[in-house]
Amino acid sequence: LGIEPGHSTIDPSTGKPFLRWSLVDGGHPEIKYVRSIYQGIELQKNWSDGKGMVALDKPTKSSFIDESMLPAVGATALWGYQAIFLLDDKRTGTFCDVVWITVRGI
């Protein structure tokens, strides 16, 4: 029949997530990305507390809501997020640029 298997032109080692975000009800950040051929991402967060990036989660769906406690009512905080793709439960590609979000206590 002349049927041949498809060939992937994606090189997993060159992957770099692109994070999009919005604030959802309650003021929590929702982080979105395109999963493509990957299992998910390793998401890291900078709380702007001088400790730099720390592990946050390994979401496998293309959106993630950060349910971390928001600042006190009326106060603001700057949170940074970065991610790297996961394939076969291992980091693949490179970390994306840090996305900075200002959150406010409601």
Side-chain angles (χ1 to χ4, degrees):
L1 295 175
I3 299 173
E4 295 182 26
H7 300 285
S8 175
T9 59
I10 298 174
D11 180 358
S13 67
T14 62
K16 181 178 178 180
F18 176 75
L19 302 180
R20 294 176 293 123
W21 65 273
S22 61
L23 295 176
V24 296
D25 291 339
H28 293 273
E30 179 179 25
I31 309 297
K32 297 179 181 180
Y33 69 98
V34 176
R35 204 173 92 182
S36 184
I37 63 167
Y38 304 94
Q39 292 172 316
I41 57 173
E42 176 183 318
L43 189 60
Q44 297 182 350
K45 180 177 180 179
N46 184 327
W47 295 78
S48 294
D49 59 1
K51 296 179 182 174
M53 289 289 176
V54 296
L56 178 62
D57 204 342
K58 293 182 178 180
T60 57
K61 295 184 179 179
S62 59
S63 70
F64 171 82
I65 297 176
D66 183 355
E67 296 285 348
S68 300
M69 182 179 287
L70 294 170
V73 174
T76 61
L78 187 62
W79 292 350
Y81 298 88
Q82 73 177 7
I84 191 168
F85 282 120
L86 295 175
L87 188 62
D88 298 326
D89 295 320
K90 294 183 179 132
R91 289 180 175 177
T92 303
T94 57
F95 276 97
C96 68
D97 298 331
V98 177
V99 173
W100 292 97
I101 304 171
T102 300
V103 294
R104 178 181 308 278
I106 298 176

